[in-house]
Amino acid sequence: MIGIIGGTGVYEITDQAHDVEKKVLKTPYGDSPEISLFKLHDRDIAFIPRHAEGHDYPPHMINYRANIWALKKIGVKQIIATNAVGSLQKSIQPGDFVIPHDFLDFTKLRSSTFYDKRTVHVDITNPYCDKIRKAMISAGDLVDQGVYVCTEGPRFETAAEIKMFQTLGGTLVGMTGIPEAVLAREVEMCYASVCLVSNYAASISPDKLTIDEVFEIMEKQKHELVKLINHTIEFMPSENDCSCQKALEGAEVDEIDEV
Ligand code: HPA
């Protein structure tokens, strides 16, 4: 089964699906995400809106563990995520799509592991699934790599922070990519993200940043994004043959810690 985690502005993926079944999954992490189940291109899909439809959790309050746990529980093996991002490079413009290959984590306050009761060090050298990334790259006209910088938010960044992220090799800045990608790897699920650039990052753009600008681009590009996801699913590899799904080999983990 393929999971889709829809970010800001992406709640419409189910519009073209028939026979959508909704399931609420009770999790040990305090929230019970609602998942939409349907078929696309003959694959079983489980869709979850990251910010929880109707709740609108801000990035630092999203229950990332509940979302990933629920997808794992329902049988998802591969995740396609979408994220709205600011661009750190002039050449990558609002409206562009980027498939990150690595990240820098500047989050501070999030529950970022399933393993609080024992020591599990998961390898995250290559945090995004190469096979899903390849499917995404075949699916449309997009930037095929980038380093995603994740901030805690919900505020936007200072000019000095953006300069630092550029110096460190960042390509994009967002608030929702981490710990999601890490949690997926911790439970041996394949995960990759298609990022939609909604704005130039602070100080690159001469204008004051507003969330309206983010929503405006998401609205404008949402059909393109849904098209990209559709094509990605067509090119998606079979479920079982990927190193992401063996991430815990040797770690002696039978099940995740439930709080
Ligand atoms: N910064 C952080 N997160 C974002 C941005 C940004 O400029 N745009 C969309 N999400």
Side-chain angles (χ1 to χ4, degrees), residues 9 13 17 25 30 74 80 89 95 127 134 139 162 183 201 212 246 256:
I13 188 85
L25 261 98
I74 213 155
I80 297 170
Q89 288 179 10
K134 284 206 174 94
I162 292 303
L183 292 168
D212 290 347
K246 298 178 190 126
I256 58 183

Side-chain angles (χ1 to χ4, degrees), residues 42-87:
D42 262 354
R43 297 289 299 263
D44 289 312
I45 309 290
F47 174 79
I48 192 164
R50 180 181 291 116
H51 297 262
E53 208 173 342
H55 289 278
D56 196 21
Y57 291 152
H60 64 298
M61 298 300 288
I62 291 168
N63 197 330
Y64 296 94
R65 291 196 296 187
N67 288 349
I68 295 291
W69 190 95
L71 290 177
K72 176 82 181 173
K73 200 76 179 172
I74 213 155
V76 166
K77 297 243 192 298
Q78 299 163 308
I79 298 176
I80 297 170
T82 77
N83 299 86
V85 292
S87 170

Side-chain angles (χ1 to χ4, degrees), residues 84-86 156-157 173-175 198-199 209:
V85 292
F156 287 118
E157 298 71 39
V173 58
M175 304 176 193
S198 55
N199 56 283
L209 274 181

